[in-house]
Amino acid sequence: MSPSPITIVLDDRRKHFGIWLQKLQHAVAGVPLLFAGIHRLQAPGGSGELLAYAEVLVAAVLLGMLARDLRALRGRVTRPSVTSDSEEHAHTDSHSHAHAGANWFDVVAGTMIIVEAIHASSL
């Protein structure tokens, strides 16, 4: 009988910290874009109404996603250590092979950068 395989999950706090710094950087850029869109909508006879709606929508979605991620981070509690080796192996197997899917925060942040570029070229 061969021993069961062991999976070691490496989790680096510096990596998570870097990801959160990147998210905050995008959020900081989203705030002025949100206000620029609102200002453009409130301006009398303002042109570029479609761009203003895009600015407000993308910035609001990005800030909402950041708030959701922060709420999820705050809600996480550390799991108690597993005593049984077989339970620990079953726990790590269920998460080690799952595909994470698209990171929608990065998709929205990329869209925000495109909208910012369009905004800058329209000035």
Side-chain angles (χ1 to χ4, degrees), residues 8-24:
I8 300 173
V9 180
L10 300 176
D11 195 18
D12 189 8
R13 289 183 184 192
R14 293 174 295 182
K15 178 181 174 185
H16 291 294
F17 182 70
I19 290 170
W20 277 103
L21 281 180
Q22 186 178 20
K23 286 183 179 188
L24 288 175

Side-chain angles (χ1 to χ4, degrees), residues 88-101:
E88 181 177 350
H89 182 66
H91 174 68
T92 57
D93 270 351
S94 65
H95 297 291
S96 63
H97 298 292
H99 180 63

Side-chain angles (χ1 to χ4, degrees), residues 4-98:
S4 62
I6 298 173
T7 303
I8 300 173
V9 180
L10 300 176
D11 195 18
D12 189 8
R13 289 183 184 192
R14 293 174 295 182
K15 178 181 174 185
H16 291 294
F17 182 70
I19 290 170
W20 277 103
L21 281 180
Q22 186 178 20
K23 286 183 179 188
L24 288 175
Q25 179 184 9
H26 289 304
V28 166
V31 172
L33 186 68
L34 177 69
F35 288 126
I38 292 171
H39 178 69
R40 189 181 292 225
L41 285 173
Q42 291 176 343
S47 61
E49 199 169 288
L50 182 62
L51 179 60
Y53 284 125
E55 290 169 347
V56 171
L57 178 69
V58 170
V61 168
L62 184 84
L63 293 172
M65 291 178 83
L66 178 70
R68 182 197 65 189
D69 289 350
L70 285 172
R71 202 173 320 122
L73 179 68
R74 187 185 70 189
R76 283 189 201 152
V77 292
T78 57
R79 295 178 186 246
S81 62
V82 179
T83 56
S84 169
D85 188 39
S86 62
E87 289 177 17
E88 181 177 350
H89 182 66
H91 174 68
T92 57
D93 270 351
S94 65
H95 297 291
S96 63
H97 298 292

